[in-house]
Amino acid sequence: GRALLVLLLSATVSLLGGLIFGYELGIISGALLQLQTDFQLSCFRQEVVVSAVLIGALLASLAGGILIDRHGRRRAILVSNLVLLVGSLLLTLARSFTVLVLGRVTVGFAISVSSMACCIYVSEMVAAHQRGLLVSLYEAGITVGILLSYALNYIFADVEEGWRYMFGLAIAPTAMQFLSILFLPVNPVKFSSWDSDCQKGLIPLQDTEDRAAPKWEPHQEKHYSFLDLFRTRDNMRRRTLVGLGLVLFQQFTGQPNVLGYASKIFHSVGFQSNSSAILASVGLGAIKVVATLVAMALADKAGRRVLLLAGCVVMAISVTTIGLTSRMAPLAMARDCRAATDPNASHSLTQHPLTPVLPQSAVSPVPPAPGAVKGQAGPGFAATTSLTKVFASTQGKEVVTDTSLTQKRDLVGQSKTGTRESTGPPLSAAPWAQHTVLNWITLLSMMAFVSAFSVGFGPMTWLVLSEIYPAGIRGRAFAFCNSFNWAANLLISLSFLDLIDAIGFSWMFLLYGLMGVMAVIFIYFFVPETKGQSLEEIDQQFSRKR
């Protein structure tokens, strides 16, 4: 009975940790619409509010590993919960821009520490044959959290100071996770106490055959310094290569930017009714949830390596297809920092000048295309640019485009001010409106990309990272790789628009396809299979293999 309780609590901690992460990343897209009005935020200040979470997350990546290794995974999660409660209260009660930014930095720090500690703690708590399922549950929680955030964005869109409720509701799952982990053991079970701990029911018992097998030898935990990550001791350098390769390829295959075009692609294939915005956000979110559930079911059966390879192959094909179809049927794109906050804003920069101009780091990855429509492109199209997408695609957790909220605001704004007249050619004159078949291929490719990412790189990267390092340095190693993940995400987001201007939209996506092929080669030659093995066996496998 106690073993089952520990298993359920571990699952709860993993799910709630992911849900909080996804919720905090997704909620800003709707809250920003109200914050821009209530705080009179300039374009630059909008950028600061959005990117403040990234700053906190980077700080956590640098300092969180030490906290996790020295003070334990469980304590790190408890501390992150308390910090998150403080951050949520700061955001809920904020009366100034400074407090708002401070709250966002605090939240970013907390969710980054929590994400690392949760994956490591759960991987160490459960049996080998359940580890893939329960660690992948974290990724499932993220997709649910994102959908929940967009649902609440829609609900509170027209509530006065609704952003306070949006930020404040994060307190509920945080408190639930805090209470859940209080009932779990302080430290994960070590094999040196395998027999006694099994009898006490602290970890799920293996099958009868496993218990009848020869007993484990006592395992003495080794101590490592941070520099050991780059040395040949216990083959640590190769482990670091595997970890960094996974997180960098996860970002360089283009996932931070692909979903930036979701609502635009939905619009181009004819979803122009009032439900188009909901389809663009919730529809893709539902696909992510289903794909993540598939990954959970297969992680301990097919294996991590197989899912990574299969996901990468599909991602490479999908993103290459998007690049090829966009050469034949260019999408009409524009960049405008107010597109996310002004539903009736035109996508013409000359029609709606910006003062000041938003730095590219916070602009939605929406490049201008030759022959693009300069007037307003119809209901829901203003939702193409959501500032949070640029920074929120961290840890492989890309945010589904939030279009439902902007659609709702769009209708309200039109009833008050009327629709602005278009200064460009009519909608039907758009180059992409004449390529229905190609646009549907683009849409299906994007859905395949999202599914493949959610099966492969999304959950498997963090599962492998939580397995391949020795316990004595697991927290610092995880944090080190995580910091490269955040940095690579920022680099991809910052350079995207400049690269589009330099080489074009289609070539950019073809480049992502090439990176996908390189990722397949990397995984095939460097990433071992870890399914069904205890953490000690994985450690020994890496130590022996040169």
Side-chain angles (χ1 to χ4, degrees):
R2 188 173 178 190
L4 179 61
L5 177 62
V6 170
L7 185 64
L8 291 175
L9 286 175
S10 297
T12 302
V13 167
S14 184
L15 182 65
L16 287 175
L19 188 145
I20 295 165
F21 191 102
Y23 182 85
E24 291 290 0
L25 292 181
I27 201 67
I28 186 61
S29 59
L32 193 65
L33 294 168
Q34 297 186 355
L35 292 171
Q36 192 264 350
T37 303
D38 293 351
F39 286 86
Q40 297 298 307
L41 298 180
S42 65
C43 290
F44 173 73
R45 288 196 166 195
Q46 291 177 45
E47 177 197 22
V48 172
V49 170
V50 172
S51 58
V53 162
L54 178 63
I55 297 171
L58 280 172
L59 291 174
S61 296
L62 298 175
I66 299 173
L67 171 65
I68 293 170
D69 277 342
R70 291 188 178 176
H71 300 285
R73 290 73 158 122
R74 179 176 179 270
R75 188 172 296 174
I77 298 174
L78 291 172
V79 170
S80 71
N81 288 154
L82 294 176
V83 173
L84 186 58
L85 288 172
V86 172
S88 297
L89 287 174
L90 284 173
L91 289 170
T92 305
L93 304 175
R95 295 289 179 185
S96 68
F97 173 74
T98 303
V99 176
L100 196 64
V101 172
L102 181 61
R104 291 281 292 165
V105 171
T106 305
V107 165
F109 185 93
I111 62 174
S112 183
V113 170
S114 176
S115 67
M116 296 183 290
C118 279
C119 289
I120 295 173
Y121 184 76
V122 172
S123 72
E124 294 174 339
M125 278 299 303
V126 299
H129 68 281
Q130 297 166 328
R131 192 168 59 242
L133 172 68
L134 291 181
V135 176
S136 299
L137 195 61
Y138 186 89
E139 175 78 9
I142 288 170
T143 59
V144 173
I146 290 170
L147 285 177
L148 177 63
S149 70
Y150 289 142
L152 292 175
N153 280 346
Y154 191 82
I155 291 171
F156 292 111
D158 297 320
V159 176
E160 187 176 355
E161 293 193 335
W163 57 270
R164 296 189 187 276
Y165 299 101
M166 297 179 194
F167 289 134
L169 286 173
I171 293 174
T174 305
M176 289 173 62
Q177 188 187 39
F178 185 90
L179 293 174
S180 297
I181 204 166
L182 288 177
F183 295 97
L184 284 170
V186 174
N187 293 310
V189 174
K190 300 293 189 297
F191 282 118
S192 57
S193 55
W194 178 266
D195 296 325
S196 60
D197 284 334
C198 275
Q199 289 166 6
K200 293 175 185 175
L202 290 181
I203 59 176
L205 293 174
Q206 304 292 316
D207 296 332
T208 308
E209 295 149 355
D210 290 336
R211 280 177 282 166
K215 296 180 180 178
W216 288 94
E217 292 297 323
H219 176 76
Q220 299 297 324
E221 184 177 304
K222 298 179 182 178
H223 296 283
Y224 296 88
S225 70
F226 178 75
L227 293 178
D228 283 332
L229 286 175
F230 313 101
R231 294 171 179 156
T232 56
R233 178 190 176 189
D234 292 335
N235 215 8
M236 291 296 292
R237 188 183 296 165
R238 179 169 179 263
R239 305 185 203 214
T240 303
L241 172 66
V242 171
L244 288 180
L246 285 175
V247 297
L248 291 177
F249 275 120
Q250 184 191 65
Q251 298 297 323
F252 290 145
T253 46
Q255 67 88 13
N257 294 318
V258 169
L259 284 189
Y261 300 92
S263 62
K264 180 67 201 74
I265 294 172
F266 266 84
H267 188 271
S268 70
V269 297
F271 290 99
Q272 298 178 29
S273 66
N274 290 346
S275 63
S276 62
I278 299 174
L279 281 173
S281 56
V282 179
L284 282 178
I287 291 172
K288 273 185 62 64
V289 171
V290 172
T292 306
L293 293 177
V294 171
M296 288 171 53
L298 296 178
D300 291 313
K301 295 178 181 178
R304 292 74 156 134
R305 177 183 162 89
V306 171
L307 292 180
L308 280 169
L309 285 171
C312 271
V313 169
V314 176
M315 286 171 65
I317 294 173
S318 301
V319 82
T320 301
T321 303
I322 293 174
L324 292 174
T325 55
S326 65
R327 287 187 67 80
M328 294 179 279
L331 299 176
M333 300 293 180
R335 36 164 110 173
D336 183 349
C337 82
R338 293 195 184 182
T341 53
D342 182 0
N344 291 317
S346 166
H347 280 259
S348 167
L349 293 179
T350 56
Q351 187 180 12
H352 195 66
L354 304 181
T355 308
V357 176
L358 180 67
Q360 288 183 351
S361 57
V363 179
S364 171
V366 183
V373 178
K374 288 189 177 182
Q376 181 162 332
F381 181 55
T384 306
T385 51
S386 175
L387 296 182
T388 187
K389 289 193 294 289
V390 177
F391 294 103
S393 306
T394 51
Q395 277 205 329
K397 285 75 178 187
E398 75 274 20
V399 174
V400 181
T401 311
D402 181 18
T403 54
S404 57
L405 176 59
T406 317
Q407 170 72 16
K408 189 172 181 179
R409 284 263 171 137
D410 192 13
L411 299 176
V412 175
Q414 286 183 8
S415 66
K416 292 180 180 179
T417 62
T419 306
R420 296 189 180 191
E421 295 182 3
S422 172
T423 58
L427 183 62
S428 60
W432 42 263
Q434 303 163 6
H435 302 277
T436 306
V437 175
L438 290 176
N439 287 327
W440 274 102
I441 293 174
T442 303
L443 173 62
L444 293 175
S445 297
M446 187 185 65
M447 295 168 68
F449 183 92
V450 170
S451 301
F453 184 87
S454 298
V455 168
F457 266 139
M460 294 304 118
T461 296
W462 310 108
L463 174 56
V464 172
L465 277 181
S466 67
E467 295 175 328
I468 63 175
Y469 294 103
I473 198 174
R474 194 170 288 139
R476 284 166 290 171
F478 200 108
F480 176 72
C481 293
N482 197 26
S483 65
F484 273 82
N485 178 76
W486 288 93
N489 177 268
L490 178 59
L491 176 64
I492 292 293
S493 300
L494 289 176
S495 62
F496 187 74
L497 290 173
D498 292 328
L499 285 172
I500 289 294
D501 291 338
I503 65 176
F505 175 84
S506 59
W507 284 109
M508 189 71 243
F509 275 72
L510 290 174
L511 180 60
Y512 287 152
L514 176 62
M515 295 301 294
V517 173
M518 293 175 63
V520 171
I521 296 172
F522 172 82
I523 293 167
Y524 183 82
F525 284 106
F526 290 100
V527 180
E529 183 55 72
T530 58
K531 72 169 182 176
Q533 301 178 58
S534 70
L535 296 178
E536 309 304 332
E537 289 174 321
I538 296 170
D539 186 23
Q540 292 169 10
Q541 175 187 347
F542 266 98
S543 297
R544 288 192 305 266
K545 195 170 182 179
R546 296 294 172 184

